[in-house]
Amino acid sequence: MTAGEPETPSTASSRAKDHSPWNWLLFVPIVVPLIPALFNADSPRVFGFPRFYWLQLVWILLGVATTTLVYQMTKKRGTR
């Protein structure tokens, strides 16, 4: 399918068929950073940075790791 071509029902439904339970893991890097109790302290400090700042880097690593895991577990084998 090219960029200007309208979407046919067969292409739309083929993308909607992925109901893998692995996809639920993608909520982890969205929900975990929204928990304020994780940020609500100054210590421990890592290399002099308060918890809030170094946790931002941890959330990025958590998101990358989770997205990579979900991708590897849900990609179709043998099709390119």
Side-chain angles (χ1 to χ4, degrees):
M1 187 167 98
T2 61
E5 197 173 297
E7 196 169 359
T8 62
S10 64
T11 58
S13 66
S14 66
R15 282 186 286 165
K17 287 182 184 177
D18 187 17
H19 297 293
S20 174
W22 287 101
N23 292 336
W24 286 102
L25 280 177
L26 294 173
F27 281 109
V28 171
I30 295 171
V31 173
V32 171
L34 295 176
I35 302 171
L38 298 174
F39 298 94
N40 200 13
D42 187 44
S43 62
R45 289 181 169 252
V46 176
F47 301 114
F49 291 102
R51 179 189 300 185
F52 175 80
Y53 294 108
W54 60 263
L55 270 180
Q56 298 304 307
L57 298 174
V58 171
W59 303 146
I60 292 169
L61 295 175
L62 176 70
V64 168
T66 306
T67 304
T68 303
L69 175 68
V70 171
Y71 172 73
Q72 292 297 323
M73 299 308 289
T74 59
K75 71 179 178 180
K76 304 224 184 302
R77 307 275 189 231
T79 59
R80 292 186 184 205

